[in-house]
């Protein structure tokens, strides 16, 4: 029997041959466009922070820190509300740069940044900001992981990486639907998806589309909650039974074409 590329053959209990995917080779170096996107993100981040620093008025910015609790977030919101009206562009650029930085380097706390978007910019602008920044940050993380991510994943999540690789290999023809399902539902943490996708050979265009579209429902829930920030008692209040059920329903709808195709094959 001819051995399939990217698979190893082993026998099952009945003597049959079972194909198992090999760890897919890491593509290096990056293509020109991938390097251009990664470099553009880093350059935009640096220039944006420099521009914000040079154009903001002299003041005490000791309140500026990454929020780790709802109390921290409320203090940050109270201080930034006055700046947002007078220095909208600076606050907007600074917000985007911090969000992208956190996504790129897998720093926890982006849920607080999503809540802050709702508190400062409202629902529609907030959702647009969160989805855009999350997509750009996830893309930057994708390219960074493509360069140096394999040792990290092999050390932190070896079993989860093997499982994810097997699932991607099974759903290669309907991969966008599967990636949408993962983005909408909490099956895998978004951080893991960002880092693992290039390692298991998820094409960037599919990764991008699934991220951009799949993050919209959760972003809406979080940003909307940020408008009533004072009423939240914990981050767990964001996702009640109705919200979680809705996200899972959207996820099931997104993966249905994959299941139908599999049953018909």
């Amino acid at each position: 029997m001819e051995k399939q590329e990217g698979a190893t053959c082993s026998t099952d209990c009945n003597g049959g041959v079972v194909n198992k995917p090999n760890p897919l080779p890491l593509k290096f170096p990056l293509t020109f466009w991938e390097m251009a996107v990664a470099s553009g993100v880093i350059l935009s981040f640096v220039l944006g922070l420099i521009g914000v620093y040079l154009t903001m008025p002299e003041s005490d910015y000791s309140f500026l820190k990454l929020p780790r609790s709802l109390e921290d977030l409320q203090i940050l919101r109270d201080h930034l509300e006055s700046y947002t009206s007078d220095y909208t562009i600076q606050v907007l650029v600074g917000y985007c740069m911090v969000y992208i930085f956190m996504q790129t380097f897998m720093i926890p706390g982006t849920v607080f940044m999503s809540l802050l978007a709702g508190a400062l910019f409202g629902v529609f602008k907030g959702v647009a900001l969160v989805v855009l920044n999350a997509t750009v940050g996830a893309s930057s993380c994708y390219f960074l992981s493509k360069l140096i991510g394999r040792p990290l994943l092999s050390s932190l999540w070896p079993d989860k990486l093997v499982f994810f690789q097997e699932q991607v290999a099974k759903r290669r023809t309907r991969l966008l639907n599967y990636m949408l399902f993962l983005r909408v539902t909490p099956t895998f943490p978004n951080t893991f998806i960002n880092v693992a996708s290039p390692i298991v050979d998820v094409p960037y265009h599919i990764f991008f589309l699934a991220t951009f579209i799949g993050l919209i429902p959760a972003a809406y829930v979080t940003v909307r909650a940020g408008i009533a920030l004072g009423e939240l008692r914990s981050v767990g209040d964001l996702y009640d039974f109705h919200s979680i059920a809705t996200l899972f329903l959207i996820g099931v709808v997104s993966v249905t074409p994959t299941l139908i195709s599999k049953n018909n094959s």
Side-chain angles (χ1 to χ4, degrees), residues 15 36 45 224:
F45 176 77
R224 191 166 178 267

PDB file of all heavy atoms in Angstrom, residues 15 36 45 224:
ATOM      1  N   GLY A  15      -5.830  -5.887  12.313  1.00  0.00           N
ATOM      2  CA  GLY A  15      -4.833  -6.017  11.254  1.00  0.00           C
ATOM      3  C   GLY A  15      -4.974  -5.002  10.157  1.00  0.00           C
ATOM      4  O   GLY A  15      -4.245  -5.036   9.175  1.00  0.00           O
ATOM      5  N   ALA A  36       5.592  40.843   5.575  1.00  0.00           N
ATOM      6  CA  ALA A  36       5.136  42.227   5.468  1.00  0.00           C
ATOM      7  C   ALA A  36       4.045  42.517   6.488  1.00  0.00           C
ATOM      8  O   ALA A  36       4.038  43.575   7.135  1.00  0.00           O
ATOM      9  CB  ALA A  36       4.624  42.502   4.052  1.00  0.00           C
ATOM     10  N   PHE A  45       2.622  49.293  15.852  1.00  0.00           N
ATOM     11  CA  PHE A  45       2.583  49.317  17.310  1.00  0.00           C
ATOM     12  C   PHE A  45       3.581  50.336  17.856  1.00  0.00           C
ATOM     13  O   PHE A  45       3.247  51.167  18.712  1.00  0.00           O
ATOM     14  CB  PHE A  45       2.891  47.925  17.852  1.00  0.00           C
ATOM     15  CG  PHE A  45       2.976  47.856  19.351  1.00  0.00           C
ATOM     16  CD1 PHE A  45       1.821  47.848  20.111  1.00  0.00           C
ATOM     17  CD2 PHE A  45       4.197  47.813  19.992  1.00  0.00           C
ATOM     18  CE1 PHE A  45       1.884  47.807  21.495  1.00  0.00           C
ATOM     19  CE2 PHE A  45       4.278  47.763  21.375  1.00  0.00           C
ATOM     20  CZ  PHE A  45       3.115  47.761  22.122  1.00  0.00           C
ATOM     21  N   ARG A 224     -21.102  44.964  25.094  1.00  0.00           N
ATOM     22  CA  ARG A 224     -22.402  45.423  25.600  1.00  0.00           C
ATOM     23  C   ARG A 224     -22.414  45.463  27.123  1.00  0.00           C
ATOM     24  O   ARG A 224     -22.995  46.363  27.733  1.00  0.00           O
ATOM     25  CB  ARG A 224     -23.503  44.499  25.073  1.00  0.00           C
ATOM     26  CG  ARG A 224     -24.916  45.000  25.303  1.00  0.00           C
ATOM     27  CD  ARG A 224     -25.887  44.202  24.467  1.00  0.00           C
ATOM     28  NE  ARG A 224     -27.261  44.615  24.700  1.00  0.00           N
ATOM     29  CZ  ARG A 224     -28.066  44.048  25.595  1.00  0.00           C
ATOM     30  NH1 ARG A 224     -27.618  43.026  26.326  1.00  0.00           N
ATOM     31  NH2 ARG A 224     -29.303  44.473  25.769  1.00  0.00           N
TER      32      ARG A 224
END
